Amino acid sequence: MHDVRGALISRAWPTDRIAFGGDYNPEQWPREVWRDDVRLMAEAGVSFVTLGVFAWSWLEPEPGRFDTEWLDESMDLLHDHGIAVDLATGTASPPPWFSHRHPETLPVDHSGRTLWPGSRQTWCPSSPVFTEHAVALVEMLASRFHDHPALAMWHVSNEYACHNLPCYCDTCADAFRTWLQRRYGHLDALNDAWGTSFWSQRYGDWAEINPPRRTTAIPNPTQAVDYARFGSDTLLEQFLAEREVLARWTPDVPVTTNFMSMSMFRRLDYHRWAAHQDVISTDHYPLTHLDDPVAELAFAADLTRGFAGGRPWVLMEHAPSAVNWQPVNRAKGPGEMIRHSLIHVARGADALGFFQWRASRAGAEKFHSALVPHAGSESKVFAEACRLGRLAGALGEVVGSRVVADVAVLWDYEASWACQQPAHPSNAIEYADVAADVHAGLRAMAITADVVHPSADLSAYRLVIVPTLYTCRDDSAASVAAAAEAGATVLVTYFSGIVDEHDHIRLGGYPGAFRDLLGVRVEEFFPLAPQATVALSDGTSGTAWSELLQAVDAEVVTTFTEQPLAGVPAVTRRRVGAGAAWYVATRLSNTAWATLLNRLTAEAGVQPAAVVPAGIEAVRRACDERSWLFLINHTEADHEVTVDGTDLVDGVERTGTWTLPAGAVSVLRQPAYRN
Ligand code: GAL
């Protein structure tokens, strides 16, 4: 496996800069535009492009007839201009002839309706016919381009599962049965895991089992979670089939597929996928309906670094300005694109890719922003692209360095799938909410967290946060307990450790997996009505959740002060070995989180990246010899900061107190960081 640095060094991809570029679709344009493209790419400092993501119908215009002349020409032209190519396998969207000849590959929705061609990703995840054609295309591409000097990385498919998962067709039903046989071995084990004694669901033959298609009433939750696991594994098999071809032809060229690590997209278990990527790459688009889209952006970047095991990663796509798929597509203000890009770099990205290079004239995404907009290069966006290209060049020394983080926030797709099932105590419990609250609270304190899987090595963290980890395996619970024992401060929140991996309740009082560690026992949940709040004894409040909690062997920090739970503990702390284990039984307000996080970080000895005014994001990357402090002013006001270092943005030496202008960014080279 390569890390990004290895990947960049292994081939033509430049090593002396943060790679900068994006999706390039020359098949949409005549040749004269191609020449204009490479001229403008040189002007903007573009160092890589992703080529051919949706080009299958050009590469194989008829079954078995391949045409790669245009791709050859494009690769040559790019190479002549010093631009490296992340070559897509083109398998994201099969051509119309494929769907026409193989209608059995069309995906089917929950209610049994077929999804027809005319958009993209119209293929069933379990289809062996699709695999066969996709692998043949990849074989052809690899055989023709394996030694092309522009080839720097392989980009398999595109955003797996974005549109075609889950599929409920008969091919998937068969594949699901096979997957279940592998998982459980015997029907008794499946019946036990799925709790089929309930509602007369006991299976006597594998053939009786179906995907969780539309049902009369509440579906079996374990069946639903298994179907999510199956879907993720099935698409992973598709990825591995392509990967195998590429690894055979070009063992030295890294292979990746672009994840969608936005916190709201949770159809794939990216932790399982990550192990099969040479380089972790991801796409990110801020969701404007969120209260704080930039906080989510920072969260997603920290999550992506978690997939990469702390190593640098590639931001494959983000938007130069507006997208075209939200109800209202907000354009980015001056400097906003650069601030967003820099958040990703600060949090571990060594490459900045955009969707897309040139705005399309036609098709479903013609109103999506691009580095070269419809207005052409005389534009705000292209001017900012040129600025960013220069900045990417100036940040070269940062490439390969690690992000400094002493806090871990646990994140688990399986827990999310189970947590989001219907018929729970409250459908106001959204898996990501508490993780987002805590992450945002820490970010406001200039404290960076790694967002990691519960099975990650927690031993180096001073503070470990366990937010609504509804499903928890025994070994994960043990690892959290071991971290506390060894000196970490651990915080567990409500609706964690409730069930095992089969979605069976851990009996004897909630939160079963963490009861002993926390020294608490919950008898009953008291979820709150949508707008309701509950007052706490320290003057703050909670929303969404409360519970009848007993502090069996823990100190009571705050209590609920309202009926029916007046006097019942809301926040507790237990001394554990060299550390401590805290529990929070409600969704705290932002102010309450701020107070609690102050106390926790002080207890754990976690330091901010720098002491900065509110609204300035501060994150540190470091290598053995030096470190870099990233400062991003998200406010509309100039702010004074007191930090020293050489600013890579403009080469100026900063000392003492100086002004970071409204909307500006700064990257200070500083001495090695010693914690
Ligand atoms: C991504 C996708 C791109 C483009 C982009 C628009 O999900 O990979 O092809 O559609 O969204 O925001």
Side-chain angles (χ1 to χ4, degrees):
M1 294 270 162
H2 313 249
D3 62 17
V4 172
R5 182 151 259 246
L8 300 180
I9 286 169
S10 69
R11 300 287 285 220
W13 200 310
T15 57
D16 58 347
R17 57 185 352 275
I18 297 285
F20 167 58
D23 279 25
Y24 178 42
N25 299 302
E27 68 275 18
Q28 294 176 12
W29 299 96
R31 298 294 195 275
E32 58 274 17
V33 176
W34 295 17
R35 283 183 286 279
D36 198 43
D37 284 332
V38 284
R39 182 182 62 77
L40 291 175
M41 284 179 190
E43 192 178 327
V46 164
S47 61
F48 86 99
V49 295
T50 298
L51 205 56
V53 174
F54 295 105
W56 192 341
S57 64
W58 277 96
L59 294 168
E60 191 180 3
E62 289 166 31
R65 182 171 74 76
F66 297 111
D67 174 7
T68 52
E69 256 174 58
W70 65 275
L71 186 57
D72 247 321
E73 201 184 321
S74 176
M75 299 264 290
D76 289 350
L77 187 64
L78 289 160
H79 182 63
D80 290 347
H81 287 78
I83 296 163
V85 172
D86 166 42
L87 185 58
T89 58
T91 53
S93 287
W97 62 254
F98 175 81
S99 314
H100 182 68
R101 287 189 157 209
H102 305 287
E104 75 281 12
T105 64
L106 298 179
V108 171
D109 79 2
H110 197 226
S111 304
R113 289 172 305 203
T114 299
L115 305 178
W116 294 93
S119 183
R120 65 174 175 185
Q121 213 176 62
T122 316
W123 51 276
C124 157
S126 307
S127 168
V129 181
F130 176 83
T131 316
E132 187 193 317
H133 283 77
V135 164
L137 182 69
V138 179
E139 188 79 44
M140 182 282 292
L141 277 175
S143 70
R144 298 200 187 174
F145 292 98
H146 65 100
D147 55 359
H148 196 287
L151 177 67
M153 181 147 84
W154 288 108
H155 179 294
V156 175
S157 193
N158 190 64
E159 290 187 343
Y160 276 101
C162 183
H163 311 289
N164 63 351
L165 194 78
C167 167
Y168 297 88
C169 74
D170 290 341
T171 312
C172 283
D174 273 343
F176 184 41
R177 288 174 202 121
T178 307
W179 183 91
L180 289 168
Q181 283 172 11
R182 273 207 304 270
R183 178 172 173 86
Y184 293 108
H186 198 280
L187 265 183
D188 288 347
L190 177 137
N191 277 311
D192 188 36
W194 286 18
T196 55
S197 304
F198 193 79
W199 278 359
S200 182
Q201 290 175 357
R202 209 162 171 79
Y203 293 100
D205 190 324
W206 295 99
E208 295 162 8
I209 302 173
N210 281 309
R213 292 171 173 146
R214 193 165 173 179
T215 46
T216 47
I218 304 161
N220 182 310
T222 315
Q223 179 183 6
V225 171
D226 268 348
Y227 205 61
R229 290 176 174 132
F230 155 75
S232 179
D233 285 359
T234 302
L235 282 175
L236 181 56
E237 290 298 320
Q238 293 283 4
F239 167 81
L240 292 173
E242 293 194 27
R243 191 198 149 90
E244 187 278 317
V245 176
L246 301 169
R248 182 158 37 76
W249 277 100
T250 50
D252 294 334
V253 177
V255 179
T256 190
T257 185
N258 47 338
F259 292 176
M260 298 170 73
S261 41
M262 292 180 279
S263 57
M264 307 307 290
F265 181 86
R266 304 200 289 264
R267 281 184 214 146
L268 298 179
D269 187 343
Y270 285 135
H271 290 110
R272 284 167 73 90
W273 283 62
H276 303 283
Q277 312 298 314
D278 292 328
V279 176
I280 295 294
S281 68
T282 198
D283 302 343
H284 189 272
Y285 295 91
L287 298 167
T288 43
H289 71 271
L290 299 177
D291 290 343
D292 188 350
V294 178
E296 195 281 331
L297 189 168
F299 182 91
D302 290 346
L303 175 62
T304 309
R305 190 175 65 255
F307 303 143
R311 284 181 293 278
W313 47 277
V314 168
L315 180 65
M316 195 61 90
E317 290 179 25
H318 62 320
S321 189
V323 298
N324 72 321
W325 42 263
Q326 298 191 23
V328 173
N329 295 295
R330 188 185 155 271
K332 291 185 178 170
E336 199 172 348
M337 170 175 109
I338 291 178
R339 289 194 294 281
H340 288 190
S341 300
L342 212 71
I343 299 175
H344 290 290
V345 176
R347 294 174 187 273
D350 270 2
L352 291 171
F354 285 86
F355 180 85
Q356 59 175 333
W357 164 249
R358 183 182 284 277
S360 305
R361 283 187 74 184
E365 294 188 318
K366 59 182 173 299
F367 288 116
H368 197 288
S369 62
L371 293 172
V372 182
H374 294 147
S377 57
E378 294 297 312
S379 55
K380 170 206 110 197
V381 176
F382 188 72
E384 288 207 7
C386 293
R387 252 182 75 204
L388 183 59
R390 282 193 295 277
L391 181 57
L395 296 183
E397 65 185 55
V398 172
V399 170
S401 62
R402 302 287 189 114
V403 175
V404 176
D406 289 332
V407 183
V409 174
L410 304 193
W411 179 265
D412 179 17
Y413 290 94
E414 293 208 349
S416 145
W417 296 333
C419 182
Q420 298 305 143
Q421 292 304 313
H424 275 197
S426 165
N427 59 12
I429 302 306
E430 150 59 37
Y431 175 70
D433 279 350
V434 178
D437 289 350
V438 174
H439 186 273
L442 290 165
R443 176 170 167 262
M445 297 162 69
I447 290 171
T448 307
D450 286 343
V451 181
V452 296
H453 189 258
S455 66
D457 178 3
L458 301 177
S459 58
Y461 295 107
R462 292 167 183 261
L463 177 60
V464 176
I465 312 278
V466 185
T468 48
L469 190 69
Y470 169 70
T471 310
C472 187
R473 291 168 192 263
D474 293 343
D475 50 354
S476 301
S479 143
V480 171
E485 206 47 66
T489 294
V490 165
L491 172 89
V492 179
T493 81
Y494 62 91
F495 221 43
S496 292
I498 305 296
V499 297
D500 65 15
E501 64 261 41
H502 299 310
D503 201 23
H504 293 200
I505 299 289
R506 292 173 175 274
L507 301 175
Y510 317 115
F514 297 111
R515 210 168 46 220
D516 293 344
L517 168 68
L518 299 165
V520 301
R521 182 170 170 273
V522 176
E523 281 175 46
E524 196 177 356
F525 301 137
F526 284 72
L528 303 176
Q531 306 307 327
T533 59
V534 60
L536 304 179
S537 56
D538 64 356
T540 64
S541 63
T543 56
W545 194 262
S546 60
E547 50 193 19
L548 181 54
L549 171 76
Q550 229 182 310
V552 180
D553 174 24
E555 164 200 342
V556 177
V557 180
T558 34
T559 55
F560 295 108
T561 58
E562 287 178 56
Q563 291 305 351
L565 298 178
V568 167
V571 178
T572 63
R573 177 181 183 274
R574 176 167 176 258
R575 212 190 290 268
V576 182
W582 293 67
Y583 183 64
V584 174
T586 184
R587 184 172 180 195
L588 295 177
S589 66
N590 291 346
T591 356
W593 269 125
T595 312
L596 183 57
L597 288 171
N598 256 312
R599 193 161 161 193
L600 292 172
T601 50
E603 175 180 298
V606 175
Q607 299 294 328
V611 178
V612 286
I616 299 207
E617 179 155 3
V619 182
R620 185 178 298 279
R621 286 182 69 159
C623 65
D624 288 347
E625 304 80 36
R626 48 194 170 170
S627 70
W628 297 268
L629 179 64
F630 286 70
L631 299 176
I632 302 164
N633 185 349
H634 291 290
T635 75
E636 290 176 10
D638 297 353
H639 281 293
E640 297 206 322
V641 288
T642 310
V643 271
D644 297 348
T646 308
D647 199 334
L648 304 188
V649 174
D650 55 12
V652 171
E653 203 62 42
R654 314 260 183 223
T655 46
T657 298
W658 49 281
T659 301
L660 183 64
V665 299
S666 164
V667 182
L668 299 176
R669 182 195 301 133
Q670 297 189 328
Y673 177 74
R674 302 268 169 264
N675 195 351

